[in-house]
Structure formats: structure tokens, C-alpha cells
Amino acid sequence: QVQLVESGGGLVQAGGTLRLSCAASGTFFSINDMGWYRQAPGKQRELVAIITSGGNTNSADSVKGRFTISRDNAKNTVYLQMNSLKTEDTAVYYCNAVVKTPPWGSIRNYWGQGTQVTVSS
């Protein structure tokens, strides 16, 4: 089993910054892609940013130039640095990891519990 534990959410004024962290623990062979998704009230969950094990990244147009995703493979941790936050960034942010699991190497998708990010005007 794999657990993803997020931290770093909170309340911030527009224009401010936050840094989210997500640490993976448990028993697994390796972690492939890691990413951040968000879900605002009344909206579907959407991709914010994703990073491969090799460090290639992709992000939503709405956050390009403001958010940066990174990871520390030695710590099995992914980060989301959020700058120039806007009120429309308010959402629950979820960490996601695509993991190769024992005993047969099955690829499984795991989610964190979510962390609230609220941006006030």
C-alpha cells in the first residue's frame, strides 16, 4: 500500500505565495509520474502540473509562469511552488502518484487526501 501525505495549504492574500509538499510512503518499486490536481467548489477536478521521474514537466495554461512543480526522488516527494496567487486558484489541491507496486510490478494510481488552498482578495 502507498500513502501520499500533503502539506502546505492555507489561506493567503492574492499575489502571495504558498508551497505544497506531498510525500509518498509505503511499499513500492518506483514512482513514475507525480502531479498536482485541484478541485474548486462545483467544478471538476483538473490537472495543475505533472512531473515525470526524469524531471520533465507540464502544467495547465492557467498556472504557467506562476506555479512550478518539482520533485526529490530520494525523498519520494513532489512540490508545488505557487507564486502570484489569484482568487481563482482557490481549491482543494490533490497530490497524485503513478506507482509501480509489488509483487508483479502493477502500475497503480494513488491520491492524497487533499489540502485546501484559499486565496483572498
Side-chain angles (χ1 to χ4, degrees), residues 93-113:
Y93 283 70
Y94 296 91
C95 174
N96 174 266
V98 179
V99 182
K100 191 174 184 180
T101 60
W104 313 114
S106 301
I107 302 298
R108 299 189 186 275
N109 201 28
Y110 291 92
W111 292 92
Q113 79 283 0

Side-chain angles (χ1 to χ4, degrees), residues 11-77:
L11 172 64
V12 65
Q13 285 192 326
T17 66
L18 280 175
R19 188 188 194 215
L20 305 183
S21 300
C22 172
S25 63
T27 303
F28 49 87
F29 292 138
S30 61
I31 302 176
N32 298 341
D33 295 351
M34 299 186 82
W36 289 95
Y37 291 72
R38 67 186 180 187
Q39 188 166 18
K43 294 188 176 182
Q44 289 189 328
R45 190 173 296 189
E46 63 176 1
L47 173 69
V48 176
I50 192 167
I51 184 167
T52 68
S53 57
N56 294 316
T57 64
N58 196 12
S59 58
D61 289 342
S62 59
V63 306
K64 276 186 167 68
R66 300 188 298 122
F67 291 9
T68 302
I69 189 170
S70 62
R71 67 190 280 176
D72 184 334
N73 290 333
K75 295 182 179 180
N76 297 315
T77 299

